[in-house]
Amino acid sequence: MKALDITALVLVIIGAINWGLIGFFQFDLVSSLFGTGTALTRIIFALVGLCGLYSLSFLGRDRDRHSDTTEVK
C-alpha cells in the first residue's frame, strides 16, 4: 500500500506544479511535453485526477493514526 501512496503523492505533486505553471505563466507543461489533447495527455490528466481523489484518504488515515496515539490505555 505504501508504494501506491507514494505514487499517488508524486502524481498529485506533478499536477500541482502543472496547475501552478498554468496559473502563473499560462504554460501547460504536460500538454507541451505530450501534445495538446492527445490520448496520452488525457490519460496523464485522468491519472492525476484519480490520484488526487485517492489522496483524500490520507486525511482520514492521518486522523485515525493521531487519535490512536492520544488515547489513554
Side-chain angles (χ1 to χ4, degrees):
M1 200 61 144
K2 186 172 173 125
L4 181 62
D5 293 349
I6 291 170
T7 303
L9 187 58
V10 167
L11 285 175
V12 168
I13 290 169
I14 289 169
I17 291 170
N18 194 54
W19 276 110
L21 288 171
I22 291 170
F24 288 117
F25 305 111
Q26 295 179 352
F27 177 70
D28 187 347
L29 180 63
V30 174
S31 291
S32 69
L33 290 175
F34 302 107
T36 303
T38 64
L40 184 57
T41 300
R42 293 179 60 213
I43 289 169
I44 291 169
F45 285 139
L47 286 174
V48 169
L50 288 173
C51 289
L53 291 174
Y54 175 76
S55 295
L56 288 173
S57 70
F58 295 166
L59 293 173
R61 282 191 266 164
D62 187 41
R63 287 189 184 133
D64 291 342
R65 189 175 356 166
H66 182 66
S67 66
D68 289 343
T69 59
T70 58
E71 289 180 12
V72 176
K73 295 182 180 182

